[in-house]
Each structure stands twice: as C-alpha cells, then as structure tokens.
Amino acid sequence: MEKQIGLERMAESVVKLDVEEAQHLAEEWVGSGYDPHQAIEQGLAVGIRQAGELWEAGDYFLPELIGAAEAMKAAMKVLQQAMTGADATQHTLSGVVIGTVHGDIHDIGKSLVATMLEVGGFRVTDLGNDVQVERFLEAAVEEKAQLIGMSALLTTTMPVQRTLIAALHERGMRDRFKVLVGGAPVTEAWAREIGADGYADNAAQAVRVAKALLATDMTDLKKP
Ligand code: B12
C-alpha cells in the first residue's frame, strides 16, 4: 500500500462509517510495516474531524458521528495492538493515571494519549471516560502514580479539570502529582489559568511533556 493513499483511504473509511474497511486498511498498514501512530494522527483523526465538520454543517446527525467514531475505534484497536505489542514495552518510567473527566464520554483522543504514553514506557492506568474527580484521586494514590492526565472535549466539562486541581490542594496532595491536561478545547492558557503542570495538543507531544515534567522532578530530587 502506498503511504499517502493509505492515509487518505483511512480518513475516507471513517467519514463513510465503514468499520470493516477501516479495520482492513489498518491491518494492511501494519502489514506494510508503517508507523501505526502516523495512521491514527494523519489518517483516522483527519477522518473523524471531517465527520465532525459534516455534523456541524448539519449534513451528518449523531448516529453518523457515532458510526464514524466506531470505524475509527475499530481501526485504532488494530494499530494500538501493533504499537504496544511491537517491542514488548518496558515500563521503566513513572505511573500515570488518565481518564476523560466526568460528564464527558469522548474517549478517542484520551485512549490515543494513553497508548502513546504506554509505548513511551510509562505504566498507564486508563480509567476510561466520564470519570469522577474522586475516582481519579483514589486511583492515583492506589497506583502510586506520579502524573494525572485529564481529557475534556466539551467546554462544559473543562471546569472539572480545575475542580480536580482544587481538590488536590484542599487535601494537601498537590505536590504529590503532576497534572497534565488536554482535549480539543483545552489550550495552554487554560492549563496555566487552572494551575495544571502541563498541556499538550496531541499524543506525541503529551509523551514529551510528561517526560519533561517528571524529569524535572528527578532533577529536583537530586538537589541537596
Ligand atoms: C467523535 C466525536 C463524538 C463521538 C465520541 C465517541 C468517542 N467514543 O469518543 C460521539 C458521537 C459519542 C460524540 C458525542 C457528543 N459530542 Co462530540 N465530537 C466528536 C468529534 C467529531 C471528534 C472528537 C475526536 O475523537 N477527535 C479525534 C481525537 C484523536 O482528537 P482529540 O479528541 O482532540 O484528542 C487529541 C488532543 O486533543 C489531545 N488530547 C486529548 N485528550 C488528552 C488528554 C491529555 C492529558 C493530553 C495531554 C492530551 C489530550 O491528544 C489527542 C490525540 O492527538 C468532535 C469534533 C472535534 N473536532 O474535536 C466533536 C465534539 C467534541 N463533540 C461535541 C458535542 C457537542 C457532542 C455532544 C454534546 C453532542 C450531543 N448533542 O449529544 C455529545 C457529548 C456527549 C458527552 N456527554 O460527552 C462538540 C463540543 C462543543 C463544545 N465546544 O463543547 C464538538 C467539538 C463538535 C462541534 N464542533 O460541535 N462526539
């Protein structure tokens, strides 16, 4: 399969809600030895955004958007398996607890970030979507995580990110965890405003920021 054509066909399969085709193309992509992450970001994600635009324009209704998401998820499953299985990932870095905040069921981007962190060597606990603040905190303690990652795709659920940071302060736990936020409407300015430690607008960047945040920590520890 030619790379560029493969990417375009993958985007198209998502827009056309074609679960089988999306999955088949992902298998072919992996079989060709190409980078699975590229297929997600430059193929499938392009398609899901196009479906979103069609929905905004009133050409697609919610069932179509759900169908597009299903096609994307089916293909992502194949690609994620290829990523995590490829090099028997060694989880030598710190623990991360990640989820989509309460009231929000968008989980495609969050799952991608979780997979990339895992591939990047982090020990990842993915709490899924619609996750209550309390659950994030419990899991972070239980899993001895160093970093909490929160995804929000709705402007109405973004404030939950602020609530979690406030809860950490209230319980005197703010210093125990780095907080990384993301999701389509989230910006660097928002991250700063709510007192998060980091922000990333894509999965590859999320891994870089997570590593930088935790490396800072290790340098701090070495200080006398
Ligand atoms: C697919 C989709 C859905 C699917 C979700 C399926 C699923 N399981 O996830 C379905 C159909 C279920 C859905 C439902 C709804 N949706 Co919707 N949806 C989308 C759509 C088209 C794409 C989202 C997506 O998956 N993108 C692809 C991924 C790969 O990108 P991403 O999520 O942005 O993630 C990347 C980065 O943001 C970042 N990132 C993400 N999370 C994190 C976390 C951390 C820690 C870090 C560091 C980085 C990071 O890295 C990711 C990878 O690169 C968007 C439009 C858009 N352009 O975003 C609308 C959109 C988000 N939806 C919208 C709306 C309004 C809804 C509904 C309320 C519709 C309704 N009337 O019911 C419901 C919400 C229900 C709920 N309570 O959550 C609006 C939100 C508007 C707003 N400003 O709040 C959008 C923006 C569409 C629009 N333009 O109006 N939706």
Side-chain angles (χ1 to χ4, degrees):
M1 179 173 27
E2 208 265 310
K3 245 186 178 182
Q4 194 51 38
I5 295 175
L7 293 173
E8 283 163 20
R9 284 176 63 198
M10 265 188 260
E12 205 178 288
S13 68
V14 173
V15 178
K16 290 189 173 158
L17 335 177
D18 195 337
V19 175
E20 267 176 39
E21 175 74 354
Q23 201 173 338
H24 168 73
L25 288 167
E27 280 159 3
E28 239 185 275
W29 182 271
V30 171
S32 304
Y34 298 147
D35 174 16
H37 179 239
Q38 187 184 12
I40 298 176
E41 292 279 12
Q42 293 173 30
L44 303 172
V46 172
I48 195 79
R49 284 181 191 125
Q50 275 173 17
E53 282 160 20
L54 287 165
W55 181 62
E56 268 182 84
D59 294 331
Y60 270 15
F61 295 98
L62 208 51
E64 275 100 354
L65 202 53
I66 293 170
E70 271 164 16
M72 173 149 186
K73 283 187 146 189
M76 257 175 77
K77 204 169 164 196
V78 175
L79 297 162
Q80 285 173 323
Q81 261 163 16
M83 281 196 261
T84 48
D87 50 0
T89 315
Q90 298 255 331
H91 303 295
T92 48
L93 297 177
S94 323
V96 177
V97 162
I98 189 168
T100 302
V101 299
H102 179 53
D104 200 327
I105 62 164
H106 294 88
D107 63 357
I108 294 175
K110 177 272 302 162
S111 300
L112 179 53
V113 172
T115 303
M116 289 295 287
L117 285 169
E118 200 173 324
V119 172
F122 288 91
R123 184 171 44 81
V124 179
T125 307
D126 186 343
L127 302 174
N129 58 25
D130 194 12
V131 182
Q132 302 270 1
V133 165
E134 202 55 41
R135 178 75 195 109
F136 271 107
L137 300 184
E138 266 170 29
V141 172
E142 270 167 29
E143 300 295 331
K144 298 188 173 55
Q146 277 83 33
L147 189 141
I148 299 175
M150 279 183 285
S151 182
L153 265 282
L154 298 170
T155 41
T156 49
T157 57
M158 281 165 69
V160 180
Q161 298 180 333
R162 190 201 293 272
T163 308
L164 185 139
I165 293 171
L168 286 175
H169 279 293
E170 276 161 26
R171 294 167 203 208
M173 289 159 78
R174 183 64 188 93
D175 292 344
R176 270 172 77 177
F177 308 104
K178 297 287 178 190
V179 179
L180 184 60
V181 293
V186 174
T187 59
E188 182 135 33
W190 167 257
R192 215 172 295 129
E193 183 189 322
I194 64 173
D197 299 295
Y199 153 81
D201 68 358
N202 66 65
Q205 181 68 8
V207 177
R208 282 192 288 272
V209 175
K211 284 187 177 169
L213 285 175
L214 297 169
T216 319
D217 237 16
M218 280 152 71
T219 332
D220 281 350
L221 286 177
K222 281 182 204 143
K223 281 182 194 159

